[in-house]
Amino acid sequence: LEASSETMSRLAVLCLCLSPAAAFIAGAPAMRSRLAAPAPKMMVETEMPALISSMPSTLLAGDKVIEEVFGDFPIVFTGLCIGAFGQNYAKARADVDIPIAIFAPGFAVVFLALAKLGVLNTAAGLLAKVSLDLWNLTGAVLTGGGAYLKYN
């Protein structure tokens, strides 16, 4: 009877050690495998600056056009969406019938021009700065003093 009680206590300790819940208990780190992780091996044995300098440094004219089109696509699409929303809003409010073929693409062009001139970047930066400053003024009162944003 004594041996079976000792066996049962050892089995209980073993079950606790192997339990998945034991992974969430703060304690000594689990033993790690002694096998070393495979290290990456360079396939090219030349120096990187020499390899980079041998690559062509200029883009083709078609590459520049593709880069410009894909870079401007999100701005144009957002302008189209805001223009379509504005057209529908004006139609619902003032019974103005503005054709979508004029208003939405026209607003997209204006939106793209504002982005190229830097107006959208300036507005986004000012909005971020003002919202952070406003939170610093009101956040301490709303949260009891522990929510002060520190930024550079």
Side-chain angles (χ1 to χ4, degrees):
L1 191 62
E2 185 67 23
S4 103
S5 174
E6 184 180 341
T7 305
M8 290 299 282
S9 65
R10 286 184 181 175
L11 185 60
V13 169
L14 180 65
C15 288
L16 286 176
C17 290
L18 297 179
S19 172
F24 298 110
I25 297 173
M31 295 197 50
R32 302 202 184 264
S33 174
R34 301 264 182 212
L35 298 175
K41 182 179 179 186
M42 296 293 291
M43 299 300 288
V44 179
E45 296 297 330
T46 64
E47 302 227 358
M48 288 307 278
L51 183 64
I52 291 173
S53 66
S54 67
M55 297 173 71
S57 61
T58 59
L59 294 175
L60 300 175
D63 292 340
K64 290 180 183 179
V65 170
I66 289 172
E67 182 179 333
E68 192 71 25
V69 167
F70 282 111
D72 291 340
F73 177 76
I75 297 168
V76 171
F77 184 76
T78 303
L80 282 171
C81 292
I82 293 173
F85 173 76
Q87 186 238 355
N88 286 335
Y89 184 77
K91 188 187 297 184
R93 283 291 194 183
D95 291 330
V96 178
D97 192 21
I98 303 170
I100 197 165
I102 295 172
F103 192 76
F107 192 80
V109 169
V110 170
F111 207 65
L112 181 64
L114 291 175
K116 292 290 184 184
L117 292 173
V119 175
L120 293 181
N121 288 340
T122 302
L126 287 173
L127 178 67
K129 175 78 170 141
V130 167
S131 64
L132 290 174
D133 288 342
L134 185 64
W135 176 255
N136 281 340
L137 290 175
T138 60
V141 175
L142 295 174
T143 61
Y148 183 74
L149 298 174
K150 296 178 184 175
Y151 56 92
N152 296 331

